[in-house]
Amino acid sequence: MRPTTRRVLLIYGLSGLVSLGYQVAWFRILTDWFGSTNLTFALVVCSFIGGLGAGALLSRGICRGLGRRLGISDGLRLYGVIELWITATASLTVLAAWLPADLWGDFPYHLSDGIWVQDAGYRMAQLVIATCCVFLPCFLMGTTFPL
């Protein structure tokens, strides 16, 4: 095996390891949002696996169009561009934490049988934001599989 091939395979394996690190970090971060429940774990795993699968299914068309648009014909360079986008989209999780606390109102809770419960709109917005923060980078990870 040539040394450059060995280096590329090492980097590819390292990329997969970092992806699993992302998954653990997302679960830890989303535990603060939704609590440490089976549903939080399911949200992370389903978004992770779903994003990988959807990205892999659509990768040929995306890579072909992206290569044409950026003028990149080399698969390895295209892989590098997608990896940079993965890093940028994974940072959305950190940026989501900076959303203003009063974005959904001063106090997005209501009293239900003596217990303060989050409003449905607030909870749904959290769910959509969390899903986007996990699904989008994983979708891009999936597009790298055929490369």
Side-chain angles (χ1 to χ4, degrees):
M1 188 180 298
R2 295 185 317 196
T4 52
T5 305
R6 193 171 295 154
R7 276 185 264 161
V8 168
L9 290 176
L10 179 66
I11 290 170
Y12 187 74
L14 186 61
S15 172
L17 184 65
V18 169
S19 298
L20 293 175
Y22 280 142
Q23 184 179 9
V24 171
W26 282 320
F27 178 69
R28 300 281 177 148
I29 290 168
L30 295 184
T31 296
D32 290 340
W33 294 9
F34 302 111
S36 183
T37 67
N38 294 344
L39 295 176
T40 305
F41 183 72
L43 171 72
V44 173
V45 170
C46 289
S47 295
F48 190 86
I49 300 298
L52 290 175
L57 283 173
L58 300 174
S59 67
R60 287 188 194 257
I62 290 172
C63 290
R64 196 176 307 120
L66 189 61
R68 256 187 273 125
R69 182 166 293 220
L70 297 176
I72 299 173
S73 61
D74 182 27
L76 191 56
R77 289 178 192 224
L78 190 59
Y79 179 82
V81 168
I82 293 172
E83 283 291 331
L84 290 173
W85 284 1
I86 291 169
T87 304
T89 56
S91 67
L92 290 175
T93 309
V94 176
L95 295 176
W98 289 0
L99 288 173
D102 61 349
L103 191 62
W104 290 272
D106 292 334
F107 192 69
Y109 296 86
H110 64 277
L111 198 58
S112 175
D113 295 327
I115 299 173
W116 290 102
V117 180
Q118 291 179 342
D119 293 336
Y122 178 66
R123 188 59 135 183
M124 200 52 127
Q126 277 186 319
L127 184 64
V128 167
I129 291 169
T131 302
C132 288
C133 286
V134 178
F135 185 84
L136 187 56
C138 292
F139 178 84
L140 292 171
M141 288 176 203
T143 61
T144 64
F145 286 160
L147 292 175

